[in-house]
Amino acid sequence: MRGMGKQPVAERTPTRTTRKTRTVPRAVKGTRRRDQEVLDAAAKVFHTRGYADASVQDIADELGILKGSLYHYIDSKEDLLFRLLDETHEEVQAILEEVAALPDLSPLERLREYTRRQVDYTSRNLAKMAIYYHDADQLSDDRRRELTRKRRVHEKFVTDLITQAQERGEANASLDPKVVANCLFGSMIWVYRWYKPGGKLRPTELADTCAEFVLRGVIGDTASSR
Amino acid sequence: MRGMGKQPVAERTPTRTTRKTRTVPRAVKGTRRRDQEVLDAAAKVFHTRGYADASVQDIADELGILKGSLYHYIDSKEDLLFRLLDETHEEVQAILEEVAALPDLSPLERLREYTRRQVDYTSRNLAKMAIYYHDADQLSDDRRRELTRKRRVHEKFVTDLITQAQERGEANASLDPKVVANCLFGSMIWVYRWYKPGGKLRPTELADTCAEFVLRGVIGDTASSR
Amino acid sequence: MRGMGKQPVAERTPTRTTRKTRTVPRAVKGTRRRDQEVLDAAAKVFHTRGYADASVQDIADELGILKGSLYHYIDSKEDLLFRLLDETHEEVQAILEEVAALPDLSPLERLREYTRRQVDYTSRNLAKMAIYYHDADQLSDDRRRELTRKRRVHEKFVTDLITQAQERGEANASLDPKVVANCLFGSMIWVYRWYKPGGKLRPTELADTCAEFVLRGVIGDTASSR
Amino acid sequence: MRGMGKQPVAERTPTRTTRKTRTVPRAVKGTRRRDQEVLDAAAKVFHTRGYADASVQDIADELGILKGSLYHYIDSKEDLLFRLLDETHEEVQAILEEVAALPDLSPLERLREYTRRQVDYTSRNLAKMAIYYHDADQLSDDRRRELTRKRRVHEKFVTDLITQAQERGEANASLDPKVVANCLFGSMIWVYRWYKPGGKLRPTELADTCAEFVLRGVIGDTASSR
DNA sequence: TATGAATGAGGCTTCATTCAT
DNA sequence: TATGAATGAAGCCTCATTCAT
């Protein structure tokens, strides 16, 4: 953002300068809709080409406007990435909070529910999740660090549940909870790399199977070890 | 070779056959010492910054030579990526073949061994594996397709073993083998994203735990399904 | 547009349709004013330094813009060459067609008229013709082949007229029409190599003399052959 | 020639440093032969790709040696061009001198002989002549100017003969001798652009026809002038 | 808001040339 | 002589961003 003072960022609550009709402010909804179109176009393009390889021109093309015009909606390319990742994070975070709020679940049942919902979300939001996991490290240092910090909440959430299950004797306590958590994340997240929507496999079944898989992994079994 | 102590010259006969000949693309086996240094430097840089974001300059800097000089060893930046991915694939493929050749193993035991060795390899070759899984889609179309085709062998290997285990009654047959295989891959591959070498967690333990995790996932358990 | 007075804006509707769209190569007719300036600058530079030796920087300098800005108007350096050659070919082709359409001319008279007009055109468009004859072989293979194919029309046109004149007994039939045609072309084309505009020799006289010269050559004379 | 003192140029009379057998100096002939091979390779490459587009690597490839090794025979790429052009000029000049020395020829007969021999030479030395006429302007300023000056001798030779023929009443004096000379050169030189050796058309016939053509052009004819 | 021309930095690649062995 | 690694300059092109209209 060369030679450009940090402007009052208009992202979510857009400052609008009335021009033609000074008396009739246009519905904020219109602006918000356009903003969302921009994000969606960016998600599609970043997913297809990768953030680093995608150009601002690509996104403008996707929207059917000119590159210069796009800068009415964004501050910079990285700003777009940030907003996308932020939006995704919010939604993923919401899932965690919903699951955390469910009453009367055992740690394992809560883990199953968490995995199920995350996989379901991922399989319905492939582009966004692909960017979330593939391109987050291209944020500016500050923002990247912050996002990493926010993600830790998920790690802690899962690791804690595993630990609790082990303490309750419901899971094999000989397995390192952190490693197990990462295995769980791997199975859960990897979906964005191989799932193709539109086929026979429905998001719900996929979510069930993945949850089943990781749950068995978490539980472990001394008997099975050879 | 600016600022780089002359290293013990010995290893092999330094006969180098020209690569940059207009007509001969990438022939002649026998990658020599310097070639390997170049590959290593590239692996490091691509891992750190991502292929798309890394510049040829970065790699030259890493080697302590000028950008232009690097082109003695490579045809293009993408050529470097390809060679890296190719090398990695060979090694990963070798693991599969070793495991396939082990005598007298049940499908599940073979899966455990495959996972164990892959995780072990990954945790000892983080940079290369990170590039292998993160940047392969930035190859030229032809090369990307070929690599994708080669990777399918692994999918088939794992899926077949899962199917066999299910047929033998050693694994829960109600789970879709393809989904299960991808869950396995997820846990196994994801290691490149979170494992930090040099800590307490040794590659061997990690490999054991991951293998244990995915094996339990593959086996599944009707009783456990809620 | 550094150091370049704002020129009288009028001419045409400055509607410019993007050219640099990733998908639309070089569509949309209606080269506008600035496009023509670019072509003219390129013609000047290519003529002066030769296509291979000229740099994009040279052309940008000629226009008073930055190198990068030039790419608003062109796709590549070779694209510029192509457009220049294409434009030239169109104009040269138009001459052929005009001459072919003239009614009631004998083959020889038609040849004279063709030569006269081509020489006249050449002497008034030295830069373009120099590029046309000097640098066409630096086009990409496809484009070069197409241009070569188009040029053949001229060869056939001239050779046919020569043959007709010979059949009518108006030209010495003992001379190979193809060789004669090439001699004619040589005299006619070579003008771009030696004619200096601004001197005493006017394009019209030059054209007359050249036409006279080649016509006598075509006619030949048995008596004169030693 | 960066940071390299002008060395005693060894082109024609090669300074040799005896190395192995101090007593038996190798035949100078061997060195000369190698020099000629280098020139020939350069001629081939420059003809095929054009001087500006050809690389030193191309020439080394053609010779089957490495680029670095080539610099044992040349001072620079431009040096190669110069030697080639110089050699060509010598040979072309020799033709002029031979023709000038022929006794008892009328101006027209001398012109015919000059043209005939030049065309014959051109058709047998296409590569060298193509470079001579196509790439001479890429010499360094000094050398280019000198070559241009040398070429003027030919212009004067031909123009003088034309003038003499006109004064004798053997050629149409209403045509500007300089223009006529250039027409003659055009037909004569153009051969390098269209003649394909190995076909039916033999150099001798070609030379005869071209000479016939230009002679008729030089003679002109009042009757024919419309 | 939209346009599109212009910027300027940076990226990939080529290449003539040098030089130690 | 031959090699081949290295240099350093230059060339083509892309692209995020700005800005006047």
Side-chain angles (χ1 to χ4, degrees), chain D residues 199-224:
Chain D
K200 285 167 214 154
L201 185 58
R202 316 298 309 175
T204 318
E205 305 162 45
L206 172 60
D208 285 341
T209 306
C210 287
E212 178 69 19
F213 180 93
V214 303
L215 213 64
R216 287 309 312 168
V218 168
I219 293 168
D221 191 321
T222 17
S224 88

Side-chain angles (χ1 to χ4, degrees), chain C:
Chain C
M1 227 179 309
R2 213 159 31 194
M4 180 184 156
K6 199 78 181 175
Q7 292 160 358
V9 183
E11 296 187 22
R12 297 185 194 199
T13 43
T15 321
R16 281 200 74 263
T17 26
T18 5
R19 170 153 356 97
K20 288 282 298 202
T21 317
R22 208 168 291 273
T23 47
V24 185
R26 287 226 65 247
V28 200
K29 205 53 200 289
T31 315
R32 297 295 173 273
R33 187 160 45 79
R34 197 67 204 262
D35 281 274
Q36 193 56 51
E37 286 172 23
V38 168
L39 279 187
D40 292 347
K44 184 172 171 188
V45 170
F46 289 166
H47 182 210
T48 308
R49 310 178 64 89
Y51 172 75
D53 213 42
S55 75
V56 169
Q57 181 66 252
D58 293 330
I59 300 166
D61 288 351
E62 180 71 28
L63 283 164
I65 61 177
L66 293 184
K67 199 172 30 167
S69 309
L70 190 52
Y71 282 83
H72 255 280
Y73 303 98
I74 68 173
D75 285 345
S76 66
K77 188 188 169 191
E78 196 240 339
D79 167 60
L80 210 37
L81 177 61
F82 174 72
R83 277 156 67 186
L84 228 29
L85 294 177
D86 198 49
E87 187 185 70
T88 306
H89 178 76
E90 298 272 304
E91 292 167 0
V92 157
Q93 184 63 21
I95 292 174
L96 185 153
E97 282 159 16
E98 284 166 25
V99 172
L102 290 176
D104 307 322
L105 288 186
S106 74
L108 288 180
E109 284 167 327
R110 212 174 289 279
L111 274 178
R112 182 200 301 274
E113 201 54 32
Y114 172 78
T115 307
R116 187 162 19 208
R117 295 191 189 197
Q118 292 283 13
V119 169
D120 187 77
Y121 177 81
T122 299
S123 61
R124 296 179 197 274
N125 296 273
L126 282 177
K128 283 166 70 172
M129 289 302 272
I131 298 163
Y132 189 64
Y133 284 115
H134 202 267
D135 293 314
D137 40 348
Q138 307 207 41
L139 281 177
S140 68
D141 280 4
D142 286 355
R143 287 173 155 176
R144 182 169 32 71
R145 266 194 284 275
E146 181 175 338
L147 189 59
T148 305
R149 194 169 46 67
K150 283 189 188 168
R151 278 183 184 169
R152 292 236 178 79
V153 174
H154 287 246
E155 288 171 36
K156 182 165 166 36
F157 178 72
V158 167
T159 310
D160 284 355
L161 286 176
I162 291 170
T163 306
Q164 288 167 27
Q166 290 181 347
E167 286 168 356
R168 283 168 160 233
E170 293 167 7
N172 183 344
S174 72
L175 301 179
D176 181 338
K178 288 200 174 169
V179 176
V180 171
N182 278 308
C183 287
L184 179 155
F185 281 122
S187 294
M188 186 182 92
I189 292 168
W190 199 242
V191 166
Y192 88 80
R193 285 292 286 268
W194 63 269
Y195 178 66
K196 303 296 171 207
K200 285 168 216 154
L201 186 58
R202 315 298 309 174
T204 317
E205 306 162 44
L206 171 61
D208 285 340
T209 306
C210 288
E212 179 68 20
F213 180 92
V214 303
L215 212 64
R216 287 307 313 167
V218 169
I219 294 168
D221 190 321
T222 15
S224 88
S225 32
R226 256 246 283 187

Side-chain angles (χ1 to χ4, degrees), chain A residues 12 14 16 25-37:
Chain A
R12 294 297 148 103
R16 288 201 63 267
R26 276 218 313 254
V28 170
K29 198 179 283 177
T31 305
R32 228 174 236 155
R33 200 182 313 126
R34 193 73 167 141
D35 270 345
Q36 192 57 51
E37 283 171 24

Side-chain angles (χ1 to χ4, degrees), chain D residues 42-90:
Chain D
K44 185 172 172 187
V45 169
F46 289 165
H47 182 211
T48 307
R49 310 178 62 91
Y51 171 75
D53 215 40
S55 73
V56 170
Q57 179 67 247
D58 292 329
I59 298 165
D61 287 352
E62 180 71 28
L63 284 164
I65 62 176
L66 293 184
K67 194 168 43 159
S69 311
L70 188 53
Y71 279 80
H72 283 286
Y73 304 101
I74 68 174
D75 284 349
S76 67
K77 188 186 169 193
E78 196 239 335
D79 167 61
L80 250 186
L81 177 61
F82 175 72
R83 276 156 65 185
L84 224 32
L85 294 177
D86 197 50
E87 185 185 71
T88 306
H89 180 76
E90 299 272 304

Side-chain angles (χ1 to χ4, degrees), chain B residues 88-153:
Chain B
T88 306
H89 179 77
E90 298 273 304
E91 293 166 359
V92 157
Q93 185 62 24
I95 293 175
L96 186 153
E97 282 159 16
E98 284 166 24
V99 173
L102 291 176
D104 307 321
L105 288 187
S106 72
L108 289 179
E109 285 168 328
R110 213 174 289 277
L111 272 179
R112 183 200 301 274
E113 202 52 34
Y114 173 78
T115 307
R116 189 164 17 208
R117 295 192 189 195
Q118 292 283 9
V119 169
D120 188 76
Y121 177 82
T122 300
S123 61
R124 295 178 199 276
N125 296 273
L126 282 176
K128 281 165 72 173
M129 290 302 272
I131 297 163
Y132 189 63
Y133 284 115
H134 201 268
D135 292 315
D137 41 349
Q138 306 206 42
L139 282 177
S140 68
D141 280 5
D142 286 354
R143 288 172 154 176
R144 180 167 33 72
R145 268 193 285 274
E146 182 175 338
L147 189 58
T148 305
R149 194 170 46 67
K150 283 189 188 167
R151 279 183 184 169
R152 292 237 178 78
V153 175

Side-chain angles (χ1 to χ4, degrees), chain D residues 101-126:
Chain D
L102 290 177
D104 307 321
L105 288 186
S106 74
L108 287 181
E109 285 167 328
R110 210 173 291 277
L111 272 179
R112 183 201 302 274
E113 203 51 35
Y114 173 78
T115 307
R116 190 161 20 206
R117 295 192 188 196
Q118 292 283 12
V119 169
D120 188 76
Y121 177 81
T122 299
S123 62
R124 296 178 197 275
N125 296 273
L126 283 177

